[in-house]
Amino acid sequence: MMADTIVAADIRINARWVIPIEPAGVVLEHQAVLIQGDRIAAVVDQQQADRQFRAKETLDLNRHVVLPGLINMHGHAAMSLFRGMADDLPLMTWLNDHIWPAEGRYVDEAFIRDGTRLAIAEMLRTGTTTFSDMYFYPEVAAEVAHDTGIRAQICFPLLDFPTMWASGPEEYLRKGAALIERWQGDGYIMPGIGPHAPYTVSDGPLRETLALAVDKQVPIQIHLHETAFEVSEALEKSGHRPTQRLADLGLLTPTTQCVHMTQIDDSDIRLLQASGAHVVHCPESNLKLASGQCPVDQLQRAGVNVAIGTDGAASNNDLDLFGEVKSAALLAKVVAGDAAALSAHEALAMATISGARALGRADELGTLEAGKLADLIAVDLSDPFLQPVYDPASHLVYSSHSRQVSHSWINGVPQVQDGRLTRIDVPDLMLRVQAWAERIRDKNHG
C-alpha cells in the first residue's frame, strides 16, 4: 500500500491489546482493527492506521483486548428453558427420567423460539458469535438465529424413535433435507445433520445420513463415546467400539464432528487421525454428569482438531464459553498430568480457529486477519480485581469473567455495545421466559 493512499473504512477499533489467534501465541499492543463492510480490512499499528485509513466511526477501547468471536461448537439452545431443572443426576437417569419426559410435555415451536432466543442472548453477551445447535424444530432455531444476526450451524436431529418433531427416521430425514434446501449457501446459517448417538440411531438411518451428507455436502455432528456405559454396551452387543462402527459405516470423515469423546483409547485416536474427523470437547457438562474426561492434550499431540462447546444449559448450566475455556485448560492439565498442557493461547484457539476448522470455515472465521469476516469481540480488562495485567491471554482464560465482554460484532454489525445487546429485546424475552418457568414449575410441582 502506498504511504499517501488513504483507504476508507466503516469502523476503526483502537485496542490496547489484540490477540489475533494466528500467528499463535501472539499479543499485539496499541493496534487498530479496521472493518469495511462485513470484512476485516486490516489489523495495523495505530500510527500506521492514522496515515492510511479514514473511518466513519472510531471506537477507543484503551482498556480492552480484542479477539475473534468465540465459536461454541455444541449445544441444544432451547434447553436453556430447562436450566437447573434436573441437576446432580447421572446421564441416563437425567435423560430417561427427566429430560425426555419434559421435552415430550413442553417442547413445541414456541418453546424453541423463546428458548433459542434466551440462549442466543446469553451467548452473545458472553462473547460467542457462532454456535452449533442440535435440537428439535431446527427450522425455528434457524429463523431465530438468522433474525438476530448470529452465525449458527443448525443440525437437524435424527433418532430411531418418534419425538414431537418427527415420527421416525424417514420423517427426520425428509424434514432435514428441506432444512438443508432452505439454508444452504446462507452466510449466517450452516445446515447439518445431527444423528443423536450410536445407541439411538441404527445402521440403516446412519447410512442414509451419510448419503445425504455426501449429496448435499453438509457436516455431521454426533454424540460419541460420551460415557463408559455407551462403549461397554456397544462392545457387548456388537463386539465393536462405537467409533469403529461409525468408521466401518463410512461416517468418520473430515466433515464429521464427534462430541464428547470422554472414553477413548489408542484405536479411537488412530481412527480420528486417519479420517480427519473433529472432536468437540464439552468439559463442564462432562464433569457435571460424571461422564468422563476427554484427553485433549493427547488428541492435539496426535494432530486431531479439538474444538469446544458448552452443551445445553440443562446440563452445564450456562452457555458461557469463556468459563468453558477455563475449565478445559484446567482439566487438560490434570488429565495429562502436565501443568503445561493446553496453555491459555491454545485454549483460546480451541474456542476460535479450531471451531472454524470443524465448521469448514477456517478461511473466513476464527482469526483476526485482513479479508476474514468481521466477527470479533472486545473484553474490558480494567476491573480492579483483574489488576495487574501482565498477560491478557492468561487473564481471558484464568482470571476474567465473561460479563466483561463489552462489544461484539458479527459481519461488521454491532451485537453488543458497552455490555448491552443491540438486537434482542431483553425485557420482552424475560417476560416470555418467566411464563415458561411458571408453566413448567406448576406442572412439575402441582
Side-chain angles (χ1 to χ4, degrees):
M1 189 184 289
M2 297 289 290
D4 57 354
T5 302
I6 301 298
V7 179
D10 292 320
I11 303 169
R12 171 176 168 170
I13 303 162
N14 292 324
R16 174 65 180 83
W17 301 279
V18 169
I19 299 179
I21 300 298
E22 288 186 351
V26 169
V27 178
L28 305 171
E29 298 197 51
H30 305 296
Q31 297 285 299
V33 180
L34 286 305
I35 298 173
Q36 177 62 47
D38 63 355
R39 301 276 167 173
I40 297 169
V43 181
V44 295
D45 179 89
Q46 289 175 19
Q47 291 180 330
Q48 184 180 342
D50 290 341
R51 295 191 301 269
Q52 295 181 343
F53 290 90
R54 291 293 176 269
K56 295 175 188 172
E57 177 189 354
T58 298
L59 202 60
D60 289 315
L61 300 181
N62 302 321
R63 308 168 305 182
H64 302 64
V65 54
V66 172
L67 68 158
L70 306 185
I71 299 175
N72 183 350
M73 275 304 298
H74 181 66
H76 315 283
M79 291 185 83
S80 56
L81 290 175
F82 290 146
R83 189 194 316 267
M85 194 183 75
D87 285 340
D88 307 321
L89 297 167
L91 174 66
M92 297 318 293
T93 305
W94 178 80
L95 271 177
N96 290 318
D97 298 351
H98 297 272
I99 294 303
W100 283 342
E103 287 175 339
R105 196 175 301 140
Y106 303 114
V107 173
D108 58 14
E109 290 194 12
F111 181 99
I112 298 299
R113 190 172 293 110
D114 293 338
T116 301
R117 191 168 280 117
L118 175 62
I120 288 172
E122 181 183 358
M123 287 189 281
L124 285 171
R125 186 61 189 81
T126 53
T128 292
T129 55
T130 299
F131 73 101
S132 182
D133 197 45
M134 180 203 288
Y135 209 49
F136 305 111
Y137 300 100
E139 67 279 10
V140 177
E143 292 286 355
V144 172
H146 192 267
D147 289 350
T148 309
I150 187 171
R151 287 189 215 285
Q153 174 181 262
I154 305 289
C155 298
F156 71 85
L158 174 64
L159 302 105
D160 280 346
F161 49 84
T163 62
M164 70 295 299
W165 190 61
S167 59
E170 187 180 333
E171 189 177 3
Y172 287 110
L173 287 160
R174 179 170 53 77
K175 285 186 165 184
L179 179 87
I180 294 169
E181 188 74 22
R182 163 70 179 86
W183 290 107
Q184 195 151 37
D186 186 84
Y188 287 93
I189 305 302
M190 299 160 270
I193 311 175
H196 174 259
Y199 59 88
T200 52
V201 188
S202 50
D203 284 1
L206 285 176
R207 289 192 186 94
E208 291 181 64
T209 292
L210 178 62
L212 182 61
V214 171
D215 180 46
K216 300 297 185 183
Q217 293 296 291
V218 295
I220 295 169
Q221 183 170 109
I222 185 168
H223 300 101
L224 187 63
H225 286 233
E226 185 171 3
T227 63
F229 176 73
E230 174 194 335
V231 179
S232 62
E233 186 183 46
L235 284 168
E236 192 178 306
K237 286 183 174 179
S238 69
H240 296 295
R241 296 171 67 81
T243 308
Q244 184 65 58
R245 177 178 158 220
L246 291 191
D248 291 346
L249 289 168
L251 259 76
L252 285 188
T253 76
T255 58
T256 305
Q257 304 156 8
C258 307
V259 182
H260 296 304
M261 298 301 285
T262 69
Q263 313 285 330
I264 58 178
D265 64 13
D266 289 345
S267 70
D268 300 315
I269 292 176
R270 284 194 294 272
L271 289 171
L272 292 169
Q273 282 178 309
S275 66
H278 310 270
V279 169
V280 181
H281 179 34
C282 302
E284 292 183 3
S285 176
N286 293 338
L287 286 167
K288 185 162 178 277
L289 293 168
S291 297
Q293 303 160 338
C294 178
V296 172
D297 186 61
Q298 189 181 357
L299 285 166
Q300 290 185 331
R301 289 176 186 276
V304 177
N305 181 50
V306 185
I308 191 164
T310 56
D311 212 347
S315 64
N316 185 307
N317 294 11
D318 59 50
L319 306 179
D320 171 2
L321 206 61
F322 273 118
E324 210 72 33
V325 164
K326 178 177 183 177
S327 297
L330 298 176
L331 188 60
K333 299 172 192 313
V334 173
V335 172
D338 179 4
L342 198 62
S343 69
H345 280 283
E346 289 167 338
L348 291 173
M350 276 179 69
T352 50
I353 188 60
S354 296
R357 289 189 185 112
L359 291 169
R361 296 192 69 178
D363 58 334
E364 292 188 296
L365 301 170
T367 64
L368 295 187
E369 296 177 79
K372 285 202 169 186
L373 289 165
D375 291 14
L376 58 154
I377 60 173
V379 184
D380 186 347
L381 296 186
S382 66
D383 187 287
F385 303 108
L386 290 178
Q387 306 312 309
V389 181
Y390 300 118
D391 178 359
S394 169
H395 267 37
L396 289 176
V397 175
Y398 300 118
S399 302
S400 75
H401 191 282
S402 59
R403 295 298 175 86
Q404 285 147 342
V405 173
S406 60
H407 295 76
S408 169
W409 296 264
I410 300 174
N411 246 31
V413 177
Q415 285 282 357
V416 178
Q417 289 181 307
D418 294 315
R420 291 188 304 275
L421 294 164
T422 65
R423 301 284 297 273
I424 294 176
D425 183 341
V426 176
D428 174 72
L429 174 60
M430 289 305 98
L431 289 173
R432 294 170 183 272
V433 171
Q434 187 59 36
W436 280 108
E438 288 170 7
R439 181 180 161 195
I440 292 169
R441 191 181 293 116
D442 289 346
K443 283 209 176 176
N444 280 5
H445 301 291

